[in-house]
């Protein structure tokens, strides 16, 4: 176990860079904060490079002692993304998927996937990933312009589901559509001018549920390729729901029909 008190320490400097998306992408690593998320990651076989413990926090990770670094409290607080940290932050390796490996992992016959079409809010993204696992969905596709699933806020909101649900980024919506066709998934979009309410459609299996951008909705690539268009009934003057709320309602429809 090492002890670090200097901000110039190379291990610490490398970890601090991971608070920025640019370096998470370059290094293929991200920060994972909290005792339970770390245990979940280890249980799922996620590779952990370093574990930082806040000095005085009273936490020990004995089975990874050689990877453990005790940080001066001031250094730890600069690394932390929470106001009430549990005193442990790990550097974890990303799980990388290409279209082929994603299709193998998420495209089993009957399985559903969620497409996040330029969704940006970290809380929404993390909540949808977590809900997708709970509702039995097989994977997540994010198009260009979507937020980073490995940002600290998303990792925290996903609550461990990020380790278990395959995630793939595509350069364009069109690329995602082409992959979904190869996976034999029916593309489902929500629209205020749809004829059917969500509970009137069969969302049981083999669907790709598209959740659009918080302000602009679903892109033309998915609108033009929709196999099913649905809407959620809303009373009063409400025109739209929070993206994560809408996603949860629609994902659990598959559970209700089964």
């Amino acid at each position: 176990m090492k002890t670090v008190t200097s901000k110039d320490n190379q291990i610490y400097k490398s970890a601090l860079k991971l608070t920025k998306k640019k370096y998470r992408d370059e290094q293929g690593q991200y920060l994972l904060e909290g005792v339970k998320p770390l245990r979940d990651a280890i249980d799922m076989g996620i590779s952990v490079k370093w574990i930082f413990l806040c000095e005085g926090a009273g936490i020990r990770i004995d089975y990874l002692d050689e990877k453990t670094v005790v940080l001066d409290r001031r250094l730890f607080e600069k690394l932390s993304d929470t106001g009430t940290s549990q005193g442990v932050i790990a550097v974890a390796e990303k799980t990388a998927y290409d279209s082929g490996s994603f299709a193998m992992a998420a495209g089993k016959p009957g399985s559903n996937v969620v497409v996040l079409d330029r969704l940006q809010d970290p809380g929404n993204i993390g909540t949808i990933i977590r809900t997708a696992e709970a509702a039995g969905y097989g994977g997540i596709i994010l198009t260009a312009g979507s937020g980073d699933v490995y940002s600290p806020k998303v990792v925290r909101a996903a609550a461990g589901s990020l380790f278990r649900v395959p995630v793939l980024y595509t350069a364009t919506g069109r690329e995602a559509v082409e992959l979904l066709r190869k996976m034999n998934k029916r593309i489902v979009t929500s629209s205020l001018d749809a004829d059917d309410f969500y509970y009137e459609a069969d969302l049981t299996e083999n669907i790709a549920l598209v959740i659009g951008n918080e302000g602009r909705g679903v892109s033309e690539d998915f609108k033009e390729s929709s196999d099913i268009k649905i809407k959620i009934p809303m009373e009063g003057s409400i025109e739209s729901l929070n993206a994560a709320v809408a996603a949860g309602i629609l994902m659990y429809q598959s559970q209700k029909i089964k």
Side-chain angles (χ1 to χ4, degrees), residues 45-64:
I46 302 297
S47 177
V48 173
K49 186 172 183 180
W50 296 108
I51 298 173
F52 297 99
L53 303 181
C54 183
E55 185 178 32
I59 298 173
R60 289 190 63 86
I61 312 292
D62 293 330
Y63 49 92
L64 288 175

Side-chain angles (χ1 to χ4, degrees), residues 183-242:
M183 294 169 66
N184 296 314
K185 304 303 177 187
R186 295 172 296 148
I187 295 174
V188 179
T189 59
S190 59
S191 173
L192 291 175
D193 60 5
D195 293 328
D196 296 325
F197 291 115
Y198 73 93
Y199 49 77
E200 296 173 320
D202 181 1
L203 307 182
T204 310
E205 59 184 14
N206 289 324
I207 69 163
L209 176 64
V210 183
I211 306 298
N213 175 270
E214 290 89 348
R216 292 172 289 169
V218 175
S219 66
E220 290 301 319
D221 284 336
F222 291 107
K223 287 180 181 178
E224 294 171 358
S225 303
S226 295
D227 299 298
I228 302 172
K229 291 185 178 181
I230 53 176
K231 59 185 176 182
I232 298 173
M234 286 175 280
E235 300 291 340
S237 59
I238 300 300
E239 294 183 355
S240 64
L241 295 174
N242 169 273

Side-chain angles (χ1 to χ4, degrees), residues 37-46 48 51 61 63-64 163:
L38 174 57
R39 287 174 178 163
D40 287 346
I42 292 170
D43 289 344
M44 288 300 300
I46 302 297
V48 173
I51 298 173
I61 312 292
Y63 49 92
L64 288 175
F163 313 138

Side-chain angles (χ1 to χ4, degrees), residues 124-151:
N124 282 340
I125 295 172
T127 299
I128 290 172
I129 293 172
R130 184 179 184 183
T131 307
E133 182 186 19
Y137 273 57
I140 310 285
I141 295 177
L142 297 96
T143 63
S146 298
D148 181 13
V149 297
Y150 291 104
S151 72

Side-chain angles (χ1 to χ4, degrees), residues 4-7 12 72-79:
V4 171
T5 59
S6 171
K7 63 182 178 60
Y12 175 72
D72 174 89
R73 182 172 292 276
R74 290 172 300 174
L75 299 182
F76 186 92
E77 288 175 352
K78 290 182 179 179
L79 204 60

